[in-house]
Amino acid sequence: MNLEEEEENKLLMLTSADKWILSKVNTLAKEMTENMEHYELGLAVQKVHDFLWDEYCDWYIEMVKPRLYDKEDSTRGAALWTLKNVLITALKLLHPYMPFITEEIFQHLQSSEESIMISQWPTFKEEWNNKENEQEIDMLKEAIRSIRNIRAEMNVVPSRKAQVFVVSQHEDVRGVFEKSKTFFKTLAYASDVMIQEDKTGIGEDAVSIVIHNAVIYIPFADLVDLEKEMERLTKEREKMLKEIERVEKKLSNQGFVAKAPVSVIEEEKAKGEKYKAILAQVEERIAQLKK
Amino acid sequence: MKELEKVYDPSIVEERLYEQWMEKKYFHTKIDKSKKPYCIVMPPPNITGQLHMGHALDNTIQDILIRWKRMSGYNALWIPGIDHASISTELKVVQKMAEEGVTKSDVGREGFLKRAWEWKEEYGGIILKQLRKMGSSCDWDRVRFTMDEGLSDAVLEVFMRLHEKGLIYRGEKIVNWCPQCQTTISDAEVNHIDKAGHFYHITYPIKDSEEGLLLATTRPETILGDTAIAVHPEDERYQHLIGKTCILPLVGRELPIVGDTYVDREFGTGVVKITPAHDPNDFEVGLRHDLPRINVMNDDGTMNEKAGEYQGLDRMEARKRIVEKLKEEGYLVKIEDITHAVGVHERCNVVVEPLIKLQWFVKMEELARPAIEAYKKEDLRFIPDRFGKVYLHWLENIRDWCISRQLWWGHRIPAYYCEKCGHVEISKTAPSSCSKCGCDKLHQDEDTLDTWFSSALWPFSTLGWPENTEDLQHFYPTSVLVTAYDIIFFWVVRMVFSGLEQMGEIPFKDVFIHGLIRDEQGRKFSKSLGNGIDPLDVISKYGADALRLMLITGNAPGNDMNFIGNVWMLAEILPINYGMLLVLY
């Protein structure tokens, strides 16, 4: 098999994640060129910066990791090819701004061209353009990001996996999620992913997250160990009560109030307010759990 | 493929890669007519300069544009160069000589110039070396200097051409004179600062009358040079006095009372004294009413023989004594404390004195017109567009350009005076005899040209003009000028009209104006504030890439940006960039 055929074979194996990042970097090249034509250099560099951090590092690399680790995966070659080509394109776009590091990486990454300085500026490639795929992955990103957010809000540790239900009445939306089930496992700590049309089998206590054209449900017990959580909350409640008592004592001490500077008194009062607010939240959670 | 180092050390990588690029001649641009030309001419830093954040930003922008266009398939050329910076360099050399206890007159013109060239050889290239550290991809085989042979020839050629067209003339004009530096300075080199001062209210008696005219001045020493009193012609209070005569206090000279619309009726008493030799507005009034000019001051700011008993006194001492005398003789009505804007020389902060001098001038009206047109026809574009208004404002209010300077370091004015008949020969080389009387005793004008005279030619002189070189044909007009907004008048305006006049075409299509770099509190970086950040320090600590990224992130055309706010990025950016890559292995 010659190199060209190999390339073509890889292209045939591109997954929707690969097509998505190729389309993204393609759009990036177009937008940056337009910005630069208008001398909006700050805006242009911000875009390539955001692309590398957010789309490429935070999402794409995370998405392809399972394919890279699995030597048997038939799309492993396509993943590597995409990783490399997208990075080369982004490096070229970044080169005018950061000439040295981009050259250093470029020369290590490939050997067909001798310098990034005299390489071709990326132009818009129609064959890389794939708006549909961009939309699909953007939808997936939204779902994963919202799961991560809710887990963070609820202090769920990453090691605690949870079942994820995606409910949508739209067949195409279900199709997209069906294809991308594995991403929920690698990127959103899912133990299992169910894609369905209605709420069959989803408990009343499930945590729900509404996204565009779909609702995600996670069984509450999957996220939280009831007993442990009760214990933690009870401790937290006791701690807050103690703190509130301490502050109130201090503020009712005439000697302290007379002598302390106004700012210190204000600070104490503010602390008292804060503790009370936390206490209210904790008690609300306890009440919820008891239900 | 080689293994990447685990830790990215910018100082090692950057030096190695820059050398590699230089060796491969990537920066050198050969003319390639199959490609579209894209040319930037670097605003030449002064040879006295050290790389500061302003240069760093300016050159980062240019390097971004040139690298981008080179990659996009243009025949991209970036010409570097340095400016002789007439007055700044001369001051530095004088300072250095002072340390040795020698003055300019001790060593003479030739001796001084020898020292100045030595100074240039020693320090002049520093800033260009610093620009290499930034990663600048300019064509180092094409470095130009405003006083190199070719550019000096361009200067003489332009002088000859403008003179032939009658656009350069010698005349008496009121100029800004710095008594400290002993030279003429341009309007733009005068800083107007608020200073505490006084309004001295003085009565000028009317001849053959009991009446007097009350007026106020901030510079009573100049009354010795008064040659008229002016009122507004439609001012009912004074109309009947126009044509009558006042008696100048202390001196006794008769002064005509003239009507001139320049007088502001609402200001003070509506009466002003006219001193054509010591005030630019009065000079104009003097021209309209054919008034004599009496210069009462020497070049060093002391009073001259026309000042009578005050001769030899410094202007400030003379002011004090004249006020005392006015008070004694009953002319002084009151002294009012005021704060007013006083013009000082930006380099030495000494109060500028408007004086009449015989100087060389460029007539501006005819040259300004096509430059205004070019903008209105959109041949020339400012980014952002609002700076086009600044450009137009300068051009529409332009005064003749005083181009002679009483300095030695620079292009000497190519005017030769016949010692016998006084005829003035304009010539690129010293003429052997006077073309009028044949006398062989001629001496060259002592003055040099304003430093901006040569920088005004920069976009075409660097491409080889006045020779019609291939470079000139291929790369002129250049593509964009990148500069800060503070030199739109000094430089941009002058390059445009010079380009239009000499080449018949604008020197660049786009003028990209960027802001100034300020500190976190929004102050300009300055040595005296001690808030400067040395870009070379940043490079040695974090690398040129980091510096460039910091300078350009958040940069929007024309807006100033605060620097410190971006520093946090440094710590993050490089390791992540690099670490991201290692993921692939």
Side-chain angles (χ1 to χ4, degrees), chain A residues 1-33:
Chain A
M1 193 159 56
N2 66 30
L3 274 175
E4 243 167 67
E5 278 174 48
E6 199 177 21
E7 288 277 275
E8 264 174 37
N9 271 355
K10 276 173 193 162
L11 284 178
L12 288 176
M13 302 304 285
L14 291 178
T15 67
S16 61
D18 303 336
K19 288 179 189 160
W20 162 73
I21 199 75
L22 284 169
S23 189
K24 279 277 178 187
V25 81
N26 202 30
T27 309
L28 174 72
K30 187 172 162 230
E31 286 184 4
M32 275 184 77
T33 307

Side-chain angles (χ1 to χ4, degrees), chain B residues 409-452:
Chain B
W409 176 243
H411 304 95
R412 193 165 173 181
I413 291 174
Y416 299 84
Y417 305 98
C418 172
E419 287 176 10
K420 202 168 159 199
C421 73
H423 177 64
V424 185
E425 298 272 354
I426 304 296
S427 168
K428 279 192 178 181
T429 53
S432 53
S433 61
C434 172
S435 63
K436 237 185 185 166
C437 73
C439 167
D440 61 359
K441 284 213 165 66
L442 294 107
H443 65 268
Q444 190 176 359
D445 198 301
E446 291 296 323
D447 292 353
T448 49
L449 289 166
D450 180 8
T451 200
W452 298 100

Side-chain angles (χ1 to χ4, degrees), chain A residues 39 96 101 103 105 108 114, chain B residues 1 21 26 510 545 548 581:
Chain A
Y39 297 94
I101 196 164
E103 176 77 304
I105 298 172
H108 283 87
E114 66 175 25
Chain B
M1 279 184 282
W21 291 333
Y26 291 156
D510 286 355
D545 282 339
R548 294 166 65 113
L581 240 203

Side-chain angles (χ1 to χ4, degrees), chain B residues 112-311:
Chain B
F112 177 81
L113 287 178
K114 192 167 162 272
R115 282 164 187 263
W117 277 104
E118 281 165 8
W119 196 94
K120 186 255 166 188
E121 289 312 317
E122 196 173 342
Y123 303 105
I126 291 180
I127 194 155
L128 293 181
K129 290 203 188 84
Q130 294 171 331
L131 284 178
R132 293 176 188 222
K133 286 229 173 288
M134 299 238 12
S136 308
S137 65
C138 7
D139 189 345
W140 297 110
D141 296 338
R142 280 186 168 93
V143 182
R144 299 309 298 261
F145 173 49
T146 46
M147 274 171 74
D148 68 24
E149 211 182 311
L151 268 66
S152 297
D153 184 51
V155 164
L156 292 178
E157 182 68 29
V158 168
F159 192 97
M160 304 282 299
R161 289 188 183 193
L162 292 178
H163 183 262
E164 231 157 80
K165 281 184 89 172
L167 293 177
I168 280 187
Y169 67 95
R170 196 172 183 231
E172 257 199 348
K173 268 251 169 166
I174 200 128
V175 293
N176 301 305
W177 182 263
C178 175
Q180 172 76 31
C181 304
Q182 294 272 307
T183 186
T184 311
I185 53 177
S186 70
D187 289 349
E189 287 164 314
V190 178
N191 281 342
H192 294 275
I193 56 168
D194 281 339
K195 275 197 169 182
H198 307 285
F199 255 136
Y200 300 92
H201 296 258
I202 303 164
T203 308
Y204 284 45
I206 296 168
K207 197 185 169 189
D208 303 327
S209 153
E210 293 300 299
E211 277 181 286
L213 279 174
L214 184 63
L215 55 83
T217 176
T218 57
R219 297 188 299 155
E221 67 280 11
T222 63
I223 70 170
L224 304 175
D226 287 356
T227 55
I229 295 295
V231 295
H232 195 282
E234 284 146 35
D235 191 335
E236 286 170 10
R237 293 171 295 179
Y238 306 116
Q239 252 173 350
H240 65 285
L241 293 173
I242 294 170
K244 294 201 169 141
T245 309
C246 264
I247 305 295
L248 179 59
L250 307 187
V251 181
R253 184 161 59 235
E254 293 192 358
L255 309 176
I257 299 170
V258 300
D260 196 289
T261 50
Y262 146 72
V263 181
D264 179 359
R265 274 172 282 186
E266 310 296 319
F267 188 75
T269 57
V271 182
V272 293
K273 67 194 211 50
I274 300 298
T275 323
H278 293 280
D279 181 275
N281 294 314
D282 292 6
F283 183 86
E284 299 293 327
V285 175
L287 282 178
R288 286 195 285 275
H289 300 275
D290 200 19
L291 299 171
R293 299 165 193 158
I294 302 174
N295 179 6
V296 297
M297 236 176 262
N298 293 312
D299 291 353
D300 61 359
T302 60
M303 307 305 285
N304 69 15
E305 72 288 350
K306 300 271 176 52
E309 59 180 288
Y310 304 100
Q311 182 178 359

Side-chain angles (χ1 to χ4, degrees), chain A residues 32-33 36-43 45-46 49 52-53 56-57 61 65 68 80 83-84 87 91-111 114-122, chain B residues 1-4 8 13-14 16-18 20-21 24 26-27 38 61 63-65 67-68 70-72 133-135 137 381 383 480 510 512 544-546 548-549 552-555 557 573-574 576-578 580-581 583-585:
Chain A
M32 275 184 77
T33 307
M36 289 171 83
E37 269 156 11
H38 292 105
Y39 297 94
E40 294 159 345
L41 306 181
L43 208 57
V45 78
Q46 190 68 49
H49 174 270
L52 281 167
W53 263 238
Y56 190 77
C57 284
I61 291 183
K65 267 183 186 169
L68 299 181
L80 280 170
L83 271 170
K84 185 172 151 181
L87 182 59
L91 285 174
K92 286 181 178 183
L93 294 170
L94 185 61
H95 174 74
Y97 301 88
M98 301 182 85
F100 294 108
I101 196 164
T102 49
E103 176 77 304
E104 179 72 354
I105 298 172
F106 183 82
Q107 290 186 8
H108 283 87
L109 202 57
Q110 53 82 53
S111 43
E114 66 175 25
S115 166
I116 195 170
M117 237 199 93
I118 50 165
S119 70
Q120 273 266 307
W121 181 255
Chain B
M1 279 184 282
K2 294 167 275 181
E3 276 285 309
L4 276 166
Y8 184 81
V13 176
E14 292 183 356
R16 168 165 53 75
L17 288 176
Y18 201 84
Q20 198 186 99
W21 291 333
K24 301 256 186 182
Y26 291 156
F27 300 161
Y38 184 88
I61 292 172
D63 196 42
I64 289 169
L65 295 173
R67 282 178 185 273
W68 165 50
R70 194 185 286 123
M71 289 170 78
S72 300
K133 286 229 173 288
M134 299 238 12
S137 65
R381 189 167 73 125
I383 299 107
V480 59
D510 286 355
F512 177 36
D545 282 339
R548 294 166 65 113
L549 192 60
I552 219 70
T553 302
N555 189 283
I573 263 160
L574 288 179
I576 297 181
N577 246 341
Y578 198 73
M580 165 189 89
L581 240 203
V583 170
L584 290 175
Y585 290 85

